[in-house]
Amino acid sequence: RLMWRFILSRAFIINLIIAAILVSALLWWIFRMLDDYTLHGQSITVPSLSGFSIAEADSFLKEKELRYFVMDSVYDDKAEKGVIVGQDPKPDSKVKQNRTIYLVVNAILPKRIGMPNLIDKSKRQAVELLETYGFRLGVLEYVETFARDLVIAQKIEDKEIEPGVMVRKGATVD
């Protein structure tokens, strides 16, 4: 009974109204500041950077208030060397200012890997091994020997290549 009298008292109701107004004002101010801080409603359209060099992309993205990070490089002999071949987020995506665009660049030099040992392997095994390592099968030269379809030498550009020698991935092996 005493508690109800206090809750229904004029002082309590006035203080409750003042507290509600202050809490509402504080929440409104917090959400307003949050909109300003997160740039709510503002966005930049991500440009297509495919075919740009890193230097060109750097100045272009600075103009747009975007950042970049070269995430990976691949080697594609069909694409121009040293240019951007992929990006995330994709072109025409909407992002906030200062967002980082992750880039994939076509390497200037192809990846080099150790030449596998094909000697004393069957032709079928050698072809499988070449494909697994990313090489291309070149000319098959048959030599009269005791074993049929056995690899006795491996060559790149008419030079014998020892196993383990670093060669360009995608090279043609005879």
Side-chain angles (χ1 to χ4, degrees), residues 28-71:
W28 175 84
W29 181 78
I30 288 172
F31 285 120
R32 180 77 180 114
M33 290 293 109
L34 196 57
D35 280 351
D36 289 345
Y37 181 74
T38 62
L39 302 173
H40 184 72
Q42 299 177 28
S43 64
I44 299 171
T45 302
V46 176
S48 174
L49 300 170
S50 186
F52 280 58
S53 69
I54 292 297
E56 293 169 332
D58 181 53
S59 60
F60 186 69
L61 290 174
K62 278 182 184 170
E63 262 178 43
K64 298 252 184 207
E65 297 184 55
L66 295 169
R67 294 179 285 172
Y68 72 91
F69 179 76
V70 178
M71 175 177 62

mmCIF file of all heavy atoms in Angstrom, residues 28-71:
data_model
loop_
_atom_site.group_PDB
_atom_site.id
_atom_site.type_symbol
_atom_site.label_atom_id
_atom_site.label_comp_id
_atom_site.label_asym_id
_atom_site.label_seq_id
_atom_site.Cartn_x
_atom_site.Cartn_y
_atom_site.Cartn_z
ATOM 1 N N TRP A 28 18.440 8.857 -28.977
ATOM 2 C CA TRP A 28 18.398 9.555 -30.268
ATOM 3 C C TRP A 28 19.792 10.041 -30.625
ATOM 4 O O TRP A 28 20.250 9.863 -31.742
ATOM 5 C CB TRP A 28 17.421 10.746 -30.205
ATOM 6 C CG TRP A 28 17.431 11.556 -31.468
ATOM 7 C CD1 TRP A 28 16.731 11.312 -32.594
ATOM 8 C CD2 TRP A 28 18.217 12.716 -31.736
ATOM 9 N NE1 TRP A 28 17.023 12.242 -33.562
ATOM 10 C CE2 TRP A 28 17.939 13.130 -33.047
ATOM 11 C CE3 TRP A 28 19.125 13.451 -30.982
ATOM 12 C CZ2 TRP A 28 18.541 14.237 -33.640
ATOM 13 C CZ3 TRP A 28 19.733 14.552 -31.571
ATOM 14 C CH2 TRP A 28 19.433 14.932 -32.877
ATOM 15 N N TRP A 29 20.536 10.638 -29.678
ATOM 16 C CA TRP A 29 21.867 11.163 -29.931
ATOM 17 C C TRP A 29 22.836 10.025 -30.285
ATOM 18 O O TRP A 29 23.638 10.152 -31.212
ATOM 19 C CB TRP A 29 22.366 11.912 -28.685
ATOM 20 C CG TRP A 29 23.729 12.508 -28.872
ATOM 21 C CD1 TRP A 29 24.060 13.643 -29.532
ATOM 22 C CD2 TRP A 29 24.958 11.954 -28.398
ATOM 23 N NE1 TRP A 29 25.405 13.840 -29.496
ATOM 24 C CE2 TRP A 29 25.997 12.808 -28.799
ATOM 25 C CE3 TRP A 29 25.273 10.814 -27.660
ATOM 26 C CZ2 TRP A 29 27.328 12.567 -28.507
ATOM 27 C CZ3 TRP A 29 26.603 10.581 -27.368
ATOM 28 C CH2 TRP A 29 27.614 11.445 -27.790
ATOM 29 N N ILE A 30 22.751 8.894 -29.598
ATOM 30 C CA ILE A 30 23.625 7.745 -29.885
ATOM 31 C C ILE A 30 23.382 7.238 -31.307
ATOM 32 O O ILE A 30 24.330 7.015 -32.067
ATOM 33 C CB ILE A 30 23.414 6.611 -28.849
ATOM 34 C CG1 ILE A 30 24.019 7.010 -27.507
ATOM 35 C CG2 ILE A 30 24.025 5.296 -29.336
ATOM 36 C CD1 ILE A 30 23.699 6.059 -26.371
ATOM 37 N N PHE A 31 22.126 7.042 -31.700
ATOM 38 C CA PHE A 31 21.833 6.545 -33.050
ATOM 39 C C PHE A 31 22.231 7.563 -34.116
ATOM 40 O O PHE A 31 22.678 7.184 -35.203
ATOM 41 C CB PHE A 31 20.361 6.143 -33.168
ATOM 42 C CG PHE A 31 20.065 4.844 -32.481
ATOM 43 C CD1 PHE A 31 19.146 4.776 -31.442
ATOM 44 C CD2 PHE A 31 20.716 3.672 -32.834
ATOM 45 C CE1 PHE A 31 18.881 3.586 -30.794
ATOM 46 C CE2 PHE A 31 20.456 2.471 -32.195
ATOM 47 C CZ PHE A 31 19.540 2.426 -31.163
ATOM 48 N N ARG A 32 22.101 8.838 -33.820
ATOM 49 C CA ARG A 32 22.514 9.879 -34.766
ATOM 50 C C ARG A 32 24.030 9.842 -34.971
ATOM 51 O O ARG A 32 24.525 9.904 -36.083
ATOM 52 C CB ARG A 32 22.073 11.256 -34.233
ATOM 53 C CG ARG A 32 22.437 12.392 -35.108
ATOM 54 C CD ARG A 32 21.468 12.457 -36.300
ATOM 55 N NE ARG A 32 21.852 13.569 -37.128
ATOM 56 C CZ ARG A 32 22.313 13.424 -38.367
ATOM 57 N NH1 ARG A 32 22.370 12.243 -38.906
ATOM 58 N NH2 ARG A 32 22.665 14.462 -39.060
ATOM 59 N N MET A 33 24.768 9.725 -33.879
ATOM 60 C CA MET A 33 26.229 9.636 -33.956
ATOM 61 C C MET A 33 26.648 8.343 -34.669
ATOM 62 O O MET A 33 27.600 8.335 -35.443
ATOM 63 C CB MET A 33 26.855 9.672 -32.554
ATOM 64 C CG MET A 33 26.762 11.011 -31.864
ATOM 65 S SD MET A 33 27.749 12.260 -32.673
ATOM 66 C CE MET A 33 26.485 13.279 -33.404
ATOM 67 N N LEU A 34 25.931 7.267 -34.425
ATOM 68 C CA LEU A 34 26.234 5.989 -35.072
ATOM 69 C C LEU A 34 26.046 6.096 -36.578
ATOM 70 O O LEU A 34 26.875 5.598 -37.351
ATOM 71 C CB LEU A 34 25.338 4.889 -34.490
ATOM 72 C CG LEU A 34 25.746 3.451 -34.743
ATOM 73 C CD1 LEU A 34 27.149 3.182 -34.231
ATOM 74 C CD2 LEU A 34 24.764 2.505 -34.090
ATOM 75 N N ASP A 35 24.988 6.769 -37.027
ATOM 76 C CA ASP A 35 24.772 6.995 -38.463
ATOM 77 C C ASP A 35 25.924 7.784 -39.071
ATOM 78 O O ASP A 35 26.398 7.470 -40.159
ATOM 79 C CB ASP A 35 23.455 7.747 -38.706
ATOM 80 C CG ASP A 35 22.246 6.837 -38.645
ATOM 81 O OD1 ASP A 35 22.430 5.607 -38.591
ATOM 82 O OD2 ASP A 35 21.109 7.365 -38.666
ATOM 83 N N ASP A 36 26.366 8.826 -38.365
ATOM 84 C CA ASP A 36 27.481 9.634 -38.868
ATOM 85 C C ASP A 36 28.774 8.826 -38.892
ATOM 86 O O ASP A 36 29.540 8.894 -39.842
ATOM 87 C CB ASP A 36 27.670 10.891 -38.008
ATOM 88 C CG ASP A 36 26.557 11.898 -38.199
ATOM 89 O OD1 ASP A 36 25.800 11.776 -39.190
ATOM 90 O OD2 ASP A 36 26.432 12.812 -37.356
ATOM 91 N N TYR A 37 29.020 8.051 -37.845
ATOM 92 C CA TYR A 37 30.258 7.277 -37.742
ATOM 93 C C TYR A 37 30.320 6.185 -38.807
ATOM 94 O O TYR A 37 31.369 5.936 -39.387
ATOM 95 C CB TYR A 37 30.379 6.664 -36.346
ATOM 96 C CG TYR A 37 31.631 5.869 -36.146
ATOM 97 C CD1 TYR A 37 32.858 6.494 -36.001
ATOM 98 C CD2 TYR A 37 31.588 4.473 -36.125
ATOM 99 C CE1 TYR A 37 34.018 5.763 -35.837
ATOM 100 C CE2 TYR A 37 32.744 3.734 -35.954
ATOM 101 C CZ TYR A 37 33.958 4.389 -35.811
ATOM 102 O OH TYR A 37 35.101 3.657 -35.657
ATOM 103 N N THR A 38 29.220 5.513 -39.063
ATOM 104 C CA THR A 38 29.209 4.406 -40.036
ATOM 105 C C THR A 38 28.890 4.865 -41.448
ATOM 106 O O THR A 38 28.785 4.033 -42.348
ATOM 107 C CB THR A 38 28.187 3.326 -39.628
ATOM 108 O OG1 THR A 38 26.877 3.909 -39.614
ATOM 109 C CG2 THR A 38 28.534 2.719 -38.292
ATOM 110 N N LEU A 39 28.738 6.182 -41.658
ATOM 111 C CA LEU A 39 28.417 6.747 -42.970
ATOM 112 C C LEU A 39 27.154 6.108 -43.538
ATOM 113 O O LEU A 39 27.093 5.745 -44.718
ATOM 114 C CB LEU A 39 29.604 6.576 -43.927
ATOM 115 C CG LEU A 39 30.918 7.202 -43.464
ATOM 116 C CD1 LEU A 39 32.037 6.829 -44.404
ATOM 117 C CD2 LEU A 39 30.791 8.703 -43.307
ATOM 118 N N HIS A 40 26.155 5.972 -42.692
ATOM 119 C CA HIS A 40 24.893 5.356 -43.091
ATOM 120 C C HIS A 40 24.289 6.077 -44.291
ATOM 121 O O HIS A 40 24.183 7.288 -44.303
ATOM 122 C CB HIS A 40 23.910 5.379 -41.918
ATOM 123 C CG HIS A 40 22.624 4.680 -42.201
ATOM 124 N ND1 HIS A 40 22.537 3.315 -42.292
ATOM 125 C CD2 HIS A 40 21.374 5.162 -42.446
ATOM 126 C CE1 HIS A 40 21.293 2.978 -42.563
ATOM 127 N NE2 HIS A 40 20.565 4.074 -42.666
ATOM 128 N N GLY A 41 23.936 5.313 -45.303
ATOM 129 C CA GLY A 41 23.308 5.883 -46.501
ATOM 130 C C GLY A 41 24.311 6.361 -47.540
ATOM 131 O O GLY A 41 23.929 6.746 -48.632
ATOM 132 N N GLN A 42 25.603 6.350 -47.211
ATOM 133 C CA GLN A 42 26.622 6.774 -48.161
ATOM 134 C C GLN A 42 27.356 5.543 -48.671
ATOM 135 O O GLN A 42 27.705 4.660 -47.904
ATOM 136 C CB GLN A 42 27.624 7.701 -47.500
ATOM 137 C CG GLN A 42 27.024 8.981 -46.958
ATOM 138 C CD GLN A 42 28.073 9.819 -46.248
ATOM 139 O OE1 GLN A 42 29.243 9.747 -46.558
ATOM 140 N NE2 GLN A 42 27.629 10.606 -45.287
ATOM 141 N N SER A 43 27.600 5.482 -49.968
ATOM 142 C CA SER A 43 28.347 4.352 -50.512
ATOM 143 C C SER A 43 29.096 4.776 -51.767
ATOM 144 O O SER A 43 28.783 5.778 -52.393
ATOM 145 C CB SER A 43 27.418 3.176 -50.824
ATOM 146 O OG SER A 43 26.509 3.521 -51.838
ATOM 147 N N ILE A 44 30.103 3.996 -52.099
ATOM 148 C CA ILE A 44 30.910 4.193 -53.300
ATOM 149 C C ILE A 44 30.741 2.944 -54.148
ATOM 150 O O ILE A 44 30.771 1.826 -53.633
ATOM 151 C CB ILE A 44 32.398 4.376 -52.919
ATOM 152 C CG1 ILE A 44 32.577 5.606 -52.022
ATOM 153 C CG2 ILE A 44 33.267 4.474 -54.152
ATOM 154 C CD1 ILE A 44 33.962 5.739 -51.427
ATOM 155 N N THR A 45 30.569 3.131 -55.453
ATOM 156 C CA THR A 45 30.481 1.993 -56.359
ATOM 157 C C THR A 45 31.896 1.521 -56.689
ATOM 158 O O THR A 45 32.744 2.314 -57.096
ATOM 159 C CB THR A 45 29.741 2.386 -57.657
ATOM 160 O OG1 THR A 45 28.448 2.870 -57.303
ATOM 161 C CG2 THR A 45 29.604 1.198 -58.590
ATOM 162 N N VAL A 46 32.156 0.231 -56.490
ATOM 163 C CA VAL A 46 33.481 -0.332 -56.750
ATOM 164 C C VAL A 46 33.723 -0.356 -58.258
ATOM 165 O O VAL A 46 32.925 -0.917 -59.009
ATOM 166 C CB VAL A 46 33.604 -1.763 -56.176
ATOM 167 C CG1 VAL A 46 34.946 -2.380 -56.525
ATOM 168 C CG2 VAL A 46 33.387 -1.758 -54.684
ATOM 169 N N PRO A 47 34.830 0.253 -58.715
ATOM 170 C CA PRO A 47 35.127 0.247 -60.143
ATOM 171 C C PRO A 47 35.722 -1.092 -60.577
ATOM 172 O O PRO A 47 36.250 -1.843 -59.753
ATOM 173 C CB PRO A 47 36.170 1.357 -60.279
ATOM 174 C CG PRO A 47 36.848 1.398 -58.953
ATOM 175 C CD PRO A 47 35.797 1.029 -57.945
ATOM 176 N N SER A 48 35.644 -1.371 -61.865
ATOM 177 C CA SER A 48 36.298 -2.560 -62.409
ATOM 178 C C SER A 48 37.771 -2.225 -62.591
ATOM 179 O O SER A 48 38.125 -1.281 -63.284
ATOM 180 C CB SER A 48 35.679 -2.944 -63.753
ATOM 181 O OG SER A 48 36.421 -4.005 -64.317
ATOM 182 N N LEU A 49 38.636 -2.992 -61.959
ATOM 183 C CA LEU A 49 40.075 -2.739 -62.015
ATOM 184 C C LEU A 49 40.795 -3.713 -62.938
ATOM 185 O O LEU A 49 42.008 -3.676 -63.056
ATOM 186 C CB LEU A 49 40.667 -2.822 -60.610
ATOM 187 C CG LEU A 49 40.082 -1.816 -59.613
ATOM 188 C CD1 LEU A 49 40.544 -2.137 -58.202
ATOM 189 C CD2 LEU A 49 40.448 -0.411 -59.994
ATOM 190 N N SER A 50 40.047 -4.562 -63.599
ATOM 191 C CA SER A 50 40.621 -5.565 -64.490
ATOM 192 C C SER A 50 41.416 -4.871 -65.601
ATOM 193 O O SER A 50 40.919 -3.971 -66.261
ATOM 194 C CB SER A 50 39.507 -6.417 -65.091
ATOM 195 O OG SER A 50 40.057 -7.463 -65.827
ATOM 196 N N GLY A 51 42.666 -5.291 -65.774
ATOM 197 C CA GLY A 51 43.512 -4.712 -66.819
ATOM 198 C C GLY A 51 44.359 -3.542 -66.348
ATOM 199 O O GLY A 51 45.250 -3.094 -67.062
ATOM 200 N N PHE A 52 44.123 -3.027 -65.124
ATOM 201 C CA PHE A 52 44.930 -1.937 -64.576
ATOM 202 C C PHE A 52 46.236 -2.492 -64.026
ATOM 203 O O PHE A 52 46.272 -3.604 -63.513
ATOM 204 C CB PHE A 52 44.212 -1.269 -63.398
ATOM 205 C CG PHE A 52 43.145 -0.279 -63.759
ATOM 206 C CD1 PHE A 52 42.059 -0.633 -64.545
ATOM 207 C CD2 PHE A 52 43.216 1.023 -63.287
ATOM 208 C CE1 PHE A 52 41.071 0.267 -64.851
ATOM 209 C CE2 PHE A 52 42.225 1.943 -63.584
ATOM 210 C CZ PHE A 52 41.147 1.567 -64.376
ATOM 211 N N SER A 53 47.314 -1.698 -64.090
ATOM 212 C CA SER A 53 48.534 -2.061 -63.369
ATOM 213 C C SER A 53 48.318 -1.637 -61.919
ATOM 214 O O SER A 53 47.401 -0.873 -61.621
ATOM 215 C CB SER A 53 49.743 -1.339 -63.958
ATOM 216 O OG SER A 53 49.666 0.049 -63.675
ATOM 217 N N ILE A 54 49.179 -2.078 -61.026
ATOM 218 C CA ILE A 54 49.045 -1.716 -59.605
ATOM 219 C C ILE A 54 49.211 -0.201 -59.439
ATOM 220 O O ILE A 54 48.488 0.421 -58.667
ATOM 221 C CB ILE A 54 50.063 -2.484 -58.736
ATOM 222 C CG1 ILE A 54 49.712 -3.974 -58.713
ATOM 223 C CG2 ILE A 54 50.111 -1.946 -57.325
ATOM 224 C CD1 ILE A 54 48.370 -4.290 -58.088
ATOM 225 N N ALA A 55 50.145 0.410 -60.169
ATOM 226 C CA ALA A 55 50.364 1.857 -60.057
ATOM 227 C C ALA A 55 49.117 2.627 -60.495
ATOM 228 O O ALA A 55 48.721 3.599 -59.850
ATOM 229 C CB ALA A 55 51.567 2.270 -60.898
ATOM 230 N N GLU A 56 48.495 2.189 -61.593
ATOM 231 C CA GLU A 56 47.271 2.855 -62.061
ATOM 232 C C GLU A 56 46.144 2.677 -61.046
ATOM 233 O O GLU A 56 45.417 3.616 -60.740
ATOM 234 C CB GLU A 56 46.838 2.281 -63.411
ATOM 235 C CG GLU A 56 47.782 2.582 -64.546
ATOM 236 C CD GLU A 56 47.465 1.768 -65.801
ATOM 237 O OE1 GLU A 56 46.914 0.658 -65.684
ATOM 238 O OE2 GLU A 56 47.798 2.252 -66.893
ATOM 239 N N ALA A 57 46.003 1.473 -60.530
ATOM 240 C CA ALA A 57 44.946 1.191 -59.553
ATOM 241 C C ALA A 57 45.166 1.990 -58.278
ATOM 242 O O ALA A 57 44.209 2.486 -57.681
ATOM 243 C CB ALA A 57 44.897 -0.303 -59.240
ATOM 244 N N ASP A 58 46.421 2.156 -57.862
ATOM 245 C CA ASP A 58 46.736 2.899 -56.640
ATOM 246 C C ASP A 58 46.209 4.330 -56.722
ATOM 247 O O ASP A 58 45.477 4.781 -55.840
ATOM 248 C CB ASP A 58 48.250 2.906 -56.414
ATOM 249 C CG ASP A 58 48.643 3.635 -55.142
ATOM 250 O OD1 ASP A 58 48.097 3.293 -54.080
ATOM 251 O OD2 ASP A 58 49.482 4.550 -55.220
ATOM 252 N N SER A 59 46.550 5.049 -57.782
ATOM 253 C CA SER A 59 46.100 6.443 -57.892
ATOM 254 C C SER A 59 44.580 6.518 -58.097
ATOM 255 O O SER A 59 43.911 7.391 -57.545
ATOM 256 C CB SER A 59 46.838 7.161 -59.014
ATOM 257 O OG SER A 59 46.608 6.528 -60.245
ATOM 258 N N PHE A 60 44.033 5.582 -58.868
ATOM 259 C CA PHE A 60 42.590 5.568 -59.141
ATOM 260 C C PHE A 60 41.794 5.319 -57.860
ATOM 261 O O PHE A 60 40.807 5.993 -57.582
ATOM 262 C CB PHE A 60 42.291 4.494 -60.191
ATOM 263 C CG PHE A 60 40.872 4.474 -60.664
ATOM 264 C CD1 PHE A 60 40.364 5.506 -61.433
ATOM 265 C CD2 PHE A 60 40.039 3.417 -60.339
ATOM 266 C CE1 PHE A 60 39.050 5.483 -61.875
ATOM 267 C CE2 PHE A 60 38.725 3.387 -60.777
ATOM 268 C CZ PHE A 60 38.236 4.433 -61.552
ATOM 269 N N LEU A 61 42.247 4.372 -57.044
ATOM 270 C CA LEU A 61 41.534 4.039 -55.807
ATOM 271 C C LEU A 61 41.687 5.135 -54.754
ATOM 272 O O LEU A 61 40.766 5.370 -53.972
ATOM 273 C CB LEU A 61 42.000 2.686 -55.266
ATOM 274 C CG LEU A 61 41.572 1.479 -56.098
ATOM 275 C CD1 LEU A 61 42.220 0.207 -55.559
ATOM 276 C CD2 LEU A 61 40.074 1.331 -56.152
ATOM 277 N N LYS A 62 42.827 5.816 -54.729
ATOM 278 C CA LYS A 62 42.997 6.937 -53.794
ATOM 279 C C LYS A 62 41.999 8.040 -54.104
ATOM 280 O O LYS A 62 41.441 8.650 -53.196
ATOM 281 C CB LYS A 62 44.422 7.480 -53.862
ATOM 282 C CG LYS A 62 45.388 6.681 -53.035
ATOM 283 C CD LYS A 62 46.778 7.261 -53.065
ATOM 284 C CE LYS A 62 47.718 6.361 -52.285
ATOM 285 N NZ LYS A 62 49.114 6.739 -52.469
ATOM 286 N N GLU A 63 41.778 8.295 -55.393
ATOM 287 C CA GLU A 63 40.769 9.284 -55.814
ATOM 288 C C GLU A 63 39.385 8.922 -55.286
ATOM 289 O O GLU A 63 38.624 9.778 -54.878
ATOM 290 C CB GLU A 63 40.687 9.326 -57.350
ATOM 291 C CG GLU A 63 41.465 10.412 -57.999
ATOM 292 C CD GLU A 63 41.330 10.315 -59.516
ATOM 293 O OE1 GLU A 63 40.215 10.075 -60.024
ATOM 294 O OE2 GLU A 63 42.363 10.473 -60.184
ATOM 295 N N LYS A 64 39.066 7.652 -55.329
ATOM 296 C CA LYS A 64 37.748 7.159 -54.907
ATOM 297 C C LYS A 64 37.657 6.928 -53.400
ATOM 298 O O LYS A 64 36.630 6.463 -52.915
ATOM 299 C CB LYS A 64 37.425 5.843 -55.625
ATOM 300 C CG LYS A 64 37.350 5.971 -57.119
ATOM 301 C CD LYS A 64 35.942 5.857 -57.542
ATOM 302 C CE LYS A 64 35.829 5.884 -59.051
ATOM 303 N NZ LYS A 64 34.568 6.392 -59.462
ATOM 304 N N GLU A 65 38.753 7.194 -52.678
ATOM 305 C CA GLU A 65 38.826 6.985 -51.227
ATOM 306 C C GLU A 65 38.636 5.511 -50.862
ATOM 307 O O GLU A 65 37.915 5.165 -49.929
ATOM 308 C CB GLU A 65 37.831 7.870 -50.485
ATOM 309 C CG GLU A 65 38.099 9.352 -50.666
ATOM 310 C CD GLU A 65 37.161 10.213 -49.858
ATOM 311 O OE1 GLU A 65 37.083 10.013 -48.641
ATOM 312 O OE2 GLU A 65 36.516 11.087 -50.474
ATOM 313 N N LEU A 66 39.309 4.651 -51.626
ATOM 314 C CA LEU A 66 39.310 3.214 -51.356
ATOM 315 C C LEU A 66 40.752 2.761 -51.176
ATOM 316 O O LEU A 66 41.680 3.382 -51.695
ATOM 317 C CB LEU A 66 38.661 2.451 -52.516
ATOM 318 C CG LEU A 66 37.180 2.722 -52.754
ATOM 319 C CD1 LEU A 66 36.739 2.110 -54.077
ATOM 320 C CD2 LEU A 66 36.339 2.182 -51.619
ATOM 321 N N ARG A 67 40.941 1.677 -50.454
ATOM 322 C CA ARG A 67 42.266 1.100 -50.254
ATOM 323 C C ARG A 67 42.335 -0.223 -51.010
ATOM 324 O O ARG A 67 41.320 -0.767 -51.409
ATOM 325 C CB ARG A 67 42.527 0.868 -48.774
ATOM 326 C CG ARG A 67 42.604 2.180 -47.994
ATOM 327 C CD ARG A 67 42.841 1.931 -46.535
ATOM 328 N NE ARG A 67 41.597 1.451 -45.948
ATOM 329 C CZ ARG A 67 41.489 1.000 -44.723
ATOM 330 N NH1 ARG A 67 42.532 0.921 -43.946
ATOM 331 N NH2 ARG A 67 40.323 0.590 -44.254
ATOM 332 N N TYR A 68 43.551 -0.754 -51.171
ATOM 333 C CA TYR A 68 43.697 -2.053 -51.842
ATOM 334 C C TYR A 68 44.766 -2.884 -51.154
ATOM 335 O O TYR A 68 45.615 -2.368 -50.440
ATOM 336 C CB TYR A 68 44.032 -1.873 -53.330
ATOM 337 C CG TYR A 68 45.434 -1.373 -53.587
ATOM 338 C CD1 TYR A 68 46.482 -2.265 -53.785
ATOM 339 C CD2 TYR A 68 45.712 -0.019 -53.622
ATOM 340 C CE1 TYR A 68 47.767 -1.814 -54.013
ATOM 341 C CE2 TYR A 68 46.990 0.442 -53.847
ATOM 342 C CZ TYR A 68 48.018 -0.459 -54.044
ATOM 343 O OH TYR A 68 49.293 -0.011 -54.248
ATOM 344 N N PHE A 69 44.679 -4.174 -51.389
ATOM 345 C CA PHE A 69 45.657 -5.117 -50.874
ATOM 346 C C PHE A 69 45.818 -6.207 -51.928
ATOM 347 O O PHE A 69 44.832 -6.797 -52.361
ATOM 348 C CB PHE A 69 45.180 -5.728 -49.547
ATOM 349 C CG PHE A 69 46.126 -6.738 -48.976
ATOM 350 C CD1 PHE A 69 47.295 -6.351 -48.353
ATOM 351 C CD2 PHE A 69 45.848 -8.094 -49.074
ATOM 352 C CE1 PHE A 69 48.169 -7.288 -47.825
ATOM 353 C CE2 PHE A 69 46.707 -9.045 -48.550
ATOM 354 C CZ PHE A 69 47.869 -8.626 -47.927
ATOM 355 N N VAL A 70 47.061 -6.454 -52.369
ATOM 356 C CA VAL A 70 47.314 -7.523 -53.342
ATOM 357 C C VAL A 70 47.311 -8.837 -52.575
ATOM 358 O O VAL A 70 48.214 -9.133 -51.805
ATOM 359 C CB VAL A 70 48.646 -7.310 -54.093
ATOM 360 C CG1 VAL A 70 48.901 -8.463 -55.053
ATOM 361 C CG2 VAL A 70 48.625 -5.982 -54.836
ATOM 362 N N MET A 71 46.228 -9.584 -52.781
ATOM 363 C CA MET A 71 45.979 -10.794 -52.018
ATOM 364 C C MET A 71 46.703 -11.997 -52.623
ATOM 365 O O MET A 71 47.118 -12.897 -51.905
ATOM 366 C CB MET A 71 44.467 -11.032 -52.009
ATOM 367 C CG MET A 71 43.991 -12.285 -51.374
ATOM 368 S SD MET A 71 42.199 -12.393 -51.365
ATOM 369 C CE MET A 71 41.793 -12.386 -53.091
#
